[in-house]
Amino acid sequence: METIVRIDTLRDHVGETVTIRGWLYNKRSSKKLVFLEVRDGSGIVQAIASRSDIGDELFAVADHMAQETSLSVTGEVRAHPKQEGVFELAVKSLSVIGAVIGEYPISPKDHGTDFLMDHRHLWLRSRRQNAILKVRHEIVKSIRDYFDNHGFTLVDAPIFTPNACEGTSTLFETDYHGDKAYLTQSGQLYSEAAAMSLGKVYCFGPTFRAEKSKTRRHLAEFWMVEPEVAFMDLDGDMALAEDFLVYVVGRVLENRKEELKILERDTKLLERVQGPFPRIRYEEAIKVLQDAYDLRKSSGTLVVQSDGAVERRPEFGDDFGADEETVISSAYDRPVIVHRYPASLKAFYFKRDPEDSRLALGMDVLAPEGYGEIIGGGQREDLLENLEKGIEAHKLPREAFEWYLDLRRYGSVPHAGFGLGVERTVAWTCGLGHVRETIPFPRMLNRLGP
Ligand code: 4AD
Ligand code: MG
């Protein structure tokens, strides 16, 4: 009887004859030997076919096999003579399952990113993309495990929504049987409702932003996990974000060593992701930016914009873009939490700081190495009157938020939560230069396909 196994279990079958099913990843041959690199999703194995063992006919099949042909190969499992932990297959027989029609578009030579993105459905088969997908899976699983093991209940939020959560400028509008509806920007408001039932909840799903941003960290569709906790304040929120992030990064380090090696990730940098994370106020962050500006000014290296204007000194009220976040986080070897932003920069639902009403009780977690904001959240306004003012100040349609205001009418409590973007977290842990490789089929400003 034929024993069919996956490549990652070959170590348990040394000396046995087994069958692998997969695709041809690469091939080298000489007169007497063909080296077939076969991948099956769990790994890559080198299958060595020798003319004298399998005969001229099968040898010719192996020798002419095109990249990405699907095949079944049977052979004896051997430990690699030189590399420890590596196993090979001495081929006894093989058969083609699906031939390659025409030429496989992605050859081992270098291709441009646009070309690869256009062939994303095939690009996913490459060793690097395979590794990234596995890290993403580990991150998603560890997120669920963290919350499931800490008393949270998963409550899914809707994707069609009647109202904005994160400002009206980034909404995707759709026609909902003649009414306007929007693709959700965040499940937060629904998580808040669920937290008033279950105490500790999280939602986890795709979210949408119609931002006209073409940066390396913006997607039009991305996945966000959003915990929400009743009776929690900003300090509790920061502590939760820290404990959660340490766990998620720890799980990747523990379970995805092989993939991080393929991605050539410097894991020492990830090992430093331990609590406590530094916590700095927005105003301290502005001071850091001002100092950096003053230094550039005195050394004559201020940035001149394309319109000829020289950059100006950062001041209270400025928002942080990628460059500012990089300057702030570069002082630390682990994620840094920036809290108490000016309320004018933040969404309508934030509670004001009772000690300084200009500030919102919000926080962002900035990842190291220039990866920027990966978590945003804070304490919510729990008083009806203040929340009504917030809705008005942001010129939001009151009717659409009546249900949300009910949460402040019937037993309102202090509560807080945050959202972590999965793709930015994958980009950081994998050490990637762009979020487009962190999601199977990215949706970006200029890309809706494949
Ligand atoms: O800071 P944001 O906009 O926060 C919220 O949506 C809150 N309602 C979350 C909450 O408190 N429940 O987004 C949270 C995170 C960001 O830190 C970032 O990681 C990610 O979502 N994110 C994006 N990721 C990829 N592309 C985009 N366009 C993103 N916008 C936000
Ligand atoms: Mg944010």
Side-chain angles (χ1 to χ4, degrees):
M1 250 249 332
E2 189 179 44
T3 313
I4 298 172
V5 301
R6 296 250 289 177
I7 291 167
D8 63 355
T9 68
L10 284 178
R11 67 177 66 249
D12 305 328
H13 298 280
V14 177
E16 296 171 29
T17 295
V18 301
T19 298
I20 300 282
R21 293 175 307 186
W23 294 261
L24 184 66
Y25 194 62
N26 221 334
K27 188 187 68 187
R28 283 185 297 125
S29 50
S30 65
K31 252 195 154 68
K32 291 184 181 149
L33 295 172
V34 180
F35 300 89
L36 303 168
E37 266 189 71
V38 181
R39 58 170 193 85
D40 73 348
S42 77
I44 297 182
V45 68
Q46 174 159 274
I48 304 163
S50 126
R51 191 188 285 274
S52 58
D53 287 352
I54 62 172
D56 289 343
E57 206 174 312
L58 263 191
F59 189 81
V61 171
D63 201 18
H64 293 112
M65 205 179 281
Q67 184 192 352
E68 288 306 315
T69 300
S70 55
L71 74 155
S72 164
V73 51
T74 302
E76 187 183 321
V77 183
R78 298 192 303 219
H80 191 284
K82 289 185 190 127
Q83 287 164 269
E84 199 174 336
V86 177
F87 302 88
E88 301 175 330
L89 218 54
V91 178
K92 290 184 171 167
S93 71
L94 56 88
S95 63
V96 169
I97 297 171
V100 167
I101 300 163
E103 200 180 326
Y104 185 66
I106 307 180
S107 58
K109 73 162 193 211
D110 274 351
H111 296 281
T113 306
D114 271 344
F115 178 87
L116 291 170
M117 274 293 157
D118 287 341
H119 294 84
R120 183 69 177 159
H121 51 295
L122 300 176
W123 190 23
L124 291 181
R125 301 179 183 197
S126 79
R127 194 192 289 246
R128 268 181 69 83
Q129 298 307 314
N130 174 291
I132 295 168
L133 290 176
K134 284 186 182 167
V135 173
R136 179 184 171 101
H137 174 235
E138 184 69 32
I139 287 175
V140 168
K141 177 110 170 54
S142 65
I143 287 170
R144 291 195 182 283
D145 287 346
Y146 181 87
F147 291 118
D148 294 348
N149 294 333
H150 285 80
F152 287 72
T153 302
L154 172 71
V155 181
D156 301 310
I159 286 174
F160 284 122
T161 62
N163 48 255
C165 178
E166 294 299 318
T168 49
S169 62
T170 64
L171 286 170
F172 275 111
E173 197 179 300
T174 63
D175 177 85
Y176 194 76
H177 303 303
D179 280 337
K180 269 186 198 169
Y182 308 101
L183 299 185
T184 185
Q185 298 168 307
S186 156
Q188 178 196 320
L189 308 187
Y190 299 97
S191 279
E192 287 184 54
M196 301 303 131
S197 166
L198 293 148
K200 295 164 82 171
V201 299
Y202 69 103
C203 64
F204 195 178
T207 49
F208 305 85
R209 303 279 168 102
E211 274 160 303
K212 298 267 188 253
S213 302
K214 242 176 105 177
T215 75
R216 58 194 182 84
R217 12 188 260 181
H218 284 92
L219 292 164
E221 176 180 322
F222 63 97
W223 283 66
M224 180 157 50
V225 61
E226 298 179 83
E228 193 69 33
V229 182
F231 307 105
M232 197 167 73
D233 62 7
L234 178 63
D235 281 339
D237 202 32
M238 293 194 277
L240 177 66
E242 174 186 294
D243 193 53
F244 163 67
L245 206 53
V246 168
Y247 176 78
V248 170
V249 173
R251 276 274 299 263
V252 174
L253 282 171
E254 194 179 311
N255 296 336
R256 289 291 163 245
K257 289 190 184 70
E258 203 52 47
E259 288 72 21
L260 294 175
K261 211 191 293 163
I262 291 168
L263 297 166
E264 297 172 37
R265 181 66 168 113
D266 183 352
T267 50
K268 280 198 207 67
L269 298 176
L270 294 177
E271 278 157 18
R272 294 198 197 123
V273 181
Q274 299 294 339
F277 297 167
R279 289 155 168 68
I280 63 170
R281 299 171 67 95
Y282 166 88
E283 282 152 297
E284 294 172 65
I286 284 289
K287 178 83 174 52
V288 170
L289 294 173
Q290 287 172 338
D291 290 347
Y293 173 95
D294 293 344
L295 202 66
R296 285 202 298 285
K297 187 168 183 188
S298 64
S299 64
T301 54
L302 285 185
V303 179
V304 182
Q305 268 108 35
S306 50
D307 59 2
V310 180
E311 68 171 312
R312 66 168 178 73
R313 193 163 192 263
E315 57 189 45
F316 182 91
D318 287 356
D319 207 353
F320 301 152
D323 293 344
E324 289 78 14
E325 288 176 355
T326 301
V327 173
I328 297 161
S329 63
S330 65
Y332 307 98
D333 66 349
R334 62 195 72 202
V336 51
I337 308 182
V338 182
H339 59 91
R340 292 181 167 78
Y341 284 78
S344 58
L345 296 177
K346 291 285 171 190
F348 75 97
Y349 51 70
F350 280 97
K351 191 172 182 63
R352 298 284 177 120
D353 185 351
E355 280 161 27
D356 183 343
S357 65
R358 297 172 309 155
L359 306 178
L361 292 178
M363 60 99 181
D364 284 348
V365 180
L366 310 183
E369 302 172 67
Y371 281 94
E373 181 201 330
I374 50 170
I375 288 180
Q379 191 173 337
R380 323 305 187 189
E381 181 51 76
D382 51 314
L383 296 176
L384 178 64
E385 200 187 326
N386 293 350
L387 191 57
E388 286 172 327
K389 279 188 202 144
I391 289 172
E392 204 179 300
H394 282 80
K395 300 200 171 58
L396 294 166
R398 164 87 186 231
E399 326 75 70
F401 290 92
E402 279 305 331
W403 70 267
Y404 184 63
L405 290 168
D406 270 354
L407 307 178
R408 279 67 180 174
R409 288 190 183 103
Y410 307 113
S412 186
V413 300
H415 61 289
F418 61 79
L420 167 108
V422 168
E423 289 72 21
R424 289 189 190 173
T425 309
V426 175
W428 166 45
T429 48
C430 291
L432 307 176
H434 200 293
V435 287
R436 65 189 158 214
E437 289 181 50
T438 63
I439 185 163
F441 294 96
R443 298 292 172 249
M444 298 181 289
L445 191 53
N446 297 323
R447 180 169 295 281
L448 184 59

